[in-house]
Amino acid sequence: MLKKLLARYSIIRELLSFLWKERLWWLIPMIIILILLGILMIFSQGSAIAPFIYTIF
């Protein structure tokens, strides 16, 4: 489980370093927001606030 989590973080870290090297740094805030929304949807999936979050999208 921990290896999977670390592999996901390495993919994100690699993507951000690529964007920084290629001077696409203006995309970094959009990608961070998408990642945070994804995490919010994953953690709220089984909770009582799930219907409210899904109505946003």
Side-chain angles (χ1 to χ4, degrees), residues 33-51:
I33 288 172
L34 286 174
I35 290 170
L36 290 175
L37 284 174
I39 290 171
L40 177 66
M41 288 177 69
I42 288 170
F43 284 124
S44 68
Q45 196 169 18
S47 71
I49 61 170

Side-chain angles (χ1 to χ4, degrees), residues 10-46:
S10 67
I11 291 171
I12 294 169
R13 189 175 346 123
E14 188 175 331
L15 175 66
L16 291 176
S17 67
F18 170 75
L19 291 175
W20 192 260
K21 277 191 229 176
E22 296 297 320
R23 295 193 176 255
L24 297 174
W25 48 267
W26 53 274
L27 284 174
I28 292 174
M30 287 187 275
I31 291 175
I32 290 173
I33 288 172
L34 286 174
I35 290 170
L36 290 175
L37 284 174
I39 290 171
L40 177 66
M41 288 177 69
I42 288 170
F43 284 124
S44 68
Q45 196 169 18

